[in-house]
């Protein structure tokens, strides 16, 4: 009785080559087609674990944690200064899904600094912002703007404590005019005081008090 022999199914060679090419574990520097460089750990051909990425066009560097090809965990992002020819850290903190998320510090080009919480790459939560003119805002943020309760201290030590909305004073608040020894307490709307009461506050220690004190009612 004749025996029929069927050809044995063989796996294409490129399947084997592809398995060997899959990056997993710690690798030396891998160069992308566009010139970007990555040195670190891999999992299933994706950046995963600890690693450092260098972008060729912007010359920026990220060093820290990765998860399935995206920045996720703790890491620092540095930019190249063409004047000093040195790298300057721009952000140090936590990341999620390739965006700033959690607690972190950002250093801005003009010497400004933000320390606080982030969400989706934007300042959101509680944080402190140091501005170029010497002002300091300490309070709540939402989508990159002061929003909620917070305190703004000006360079001359005058300060506002109260509500904020979309980066402007809004709601109940107090403004301490320490240079004049006065306190305004009232309601604000879009950075404008609408109604309230102005009283003398520490007038005897004020450096530049008004000529006439406010009479008590």
């Amino acid at each position: 009785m004749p025996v029929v022999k069927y050809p044995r199914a063989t796996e294409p060679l490129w399947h084997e080559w592809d398995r060997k090419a899959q990056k997993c574990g710690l690798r030396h520097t891998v160069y992308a087609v566009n010139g970007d460089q990555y040195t670190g750990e891999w999992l299933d051909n994706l950046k995963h674990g600890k690693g450092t990425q260098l972008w060729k066009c912007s010359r920026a560097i990220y060093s820290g944690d990765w998860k399935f090809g995206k920045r996720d965990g703790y890491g620092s992002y540095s930019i190249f200064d063409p004047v000093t020819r040195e790298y300057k850290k721009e952000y140090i903190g936590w990341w999620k899904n390739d965006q700033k998320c959690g607690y972190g510090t950002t250093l801005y080009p003009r010497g400004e600094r933000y320390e606080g919480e982030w969400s989706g790459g934007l300042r959101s939560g509680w944080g402190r912002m140091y501005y170029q003119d010497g002002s300091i805002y300490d309070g709540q943020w939402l989508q990159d703007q002061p929003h909620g309760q917070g305190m703004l201290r000006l360079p001359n030590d005058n300060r506002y404590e109260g509500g904020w909305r979309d980066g402007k004073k809004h709601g109940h608040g107090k403004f301490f005019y320490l240079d004049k020894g006065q306190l305004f307490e009232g309601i604000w709307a879009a950075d404008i005081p609408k109604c309230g009461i102005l009283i003398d506050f520490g007038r005897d220690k004020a450096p530049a008090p008004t000529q006439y004190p406010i009479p008590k009612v």
Side-chain angles (χ1 to χ4, degrees):
M1 180 176 180
V3 177
V4 180
K5 293 184 178 182
Y6 295 96
R8 182 181 297 177
T10 59
E11 187 179 21
L13 287 176
W14 71 267
H15 284 187
E16 182 181 357
W17 297 338
D18 184 64
R19 282 196 299 270
K20 291 181 179 179
Q22 293 290 314
K23 294 180 283 294
C24 188
L26 182 62
R27 287 291 186 96
H28 293 295
T29 302
V30 175
Y31 296 85
V33 177
N34 61 2
D36 294 347
Q37 305 175 26
Y38 173 79
T39 305
E41 297 176 304
W42 298 78
L43 179 65
D44 296 333
N45 220 33
L46 294 173
K47 303 163 190 170
H48 190 91
K50 300 287 185 181
T52 300
Q53 170 87 18
L54 169 63
W55 287 271
K56 181 181 179 181
C57 291
S58 63
R59 303 187 70 176
I61 292 180
Y62 169 80
S63 181
D65 297 324
W66 296 79
K67 189 174 182 180
F68 301 118
K70 295 183 179 180
R71 292 169 289 185
D72 200 301
Y74 189 84
S76 64
Y77 181 81
S78 303
I79 58 174
F80 183 76
D81 189 337
V83 178
T84 62
R85 310 292 295 178
E86 295 178 349
Y87 278 95
K88 294 183 178 179
K89 279 187 170 53
E90 185 180 83
Y91 176 77
I92 307 170
W94 293 91
W95 302 74
K96 187 175 182 63
N97 198 28
D98 225 26
Q99 293 182 324
K100 302 171 186 174
C101 187
Y103 190 88
T105 300
T106 291
L107 305 175
Y108 296 92
R110 298 183 300 174
E112 298 180 333
R113 184 172 85 254
Y114 172 80
E115 301 173 355
E117 296 175 307
W118 298 77
S119 180
L122 300 175
R123 293 169 289 187
S124 293
W126 196 273
R128 179 179 296 170
M129 182 73 189
Y130 298 86
Y131 294 96
Q132 185 183 23
D133 63 357
S135 301
I136 301 175
Y137 172 80
D138 191 356
Q140 294 176 299
W141 295 75
L142 181 64
Q143 295 185 349
D144 244 14
Q145 297 286 347
H147 191 98
Q149 293 295 311
M151 183 269 290
L152 176 66
R153 190 179 71 190
L154 302 177
N156 61 0
D157 287 335
N158 289 350
R159 69 180 187 271
Y160 168 82
E161 300 176 0
W164 296 79
R165 178 185 291 178
D166 298 328
K168 297 180 179 180
K169 306 176 189 70
H170 194 91
H172 181 266
K174 299 178 180 180
F175 201 107
F176 295 84
Y177 297 92
L178 300 182
D179 58 337
K180 297 180 180 180
Q182 294 179 330
L183 166 64
F184 175 83
E185 183 175 1
I187 303 298
W188 302 68
D191 249 0
I192 300 174
K194 293 297 184 178
C195 63
I197 182 172
L198 183 67
I199 62 174
D200 284 333
F201 180 85
R203 181 184 177 87
D204 54 334
K205 297 181 181 180
T210 54
Q211 184 178 1
Y212 302 104
I214 299 176
K216 295 181 179 182
V217 178

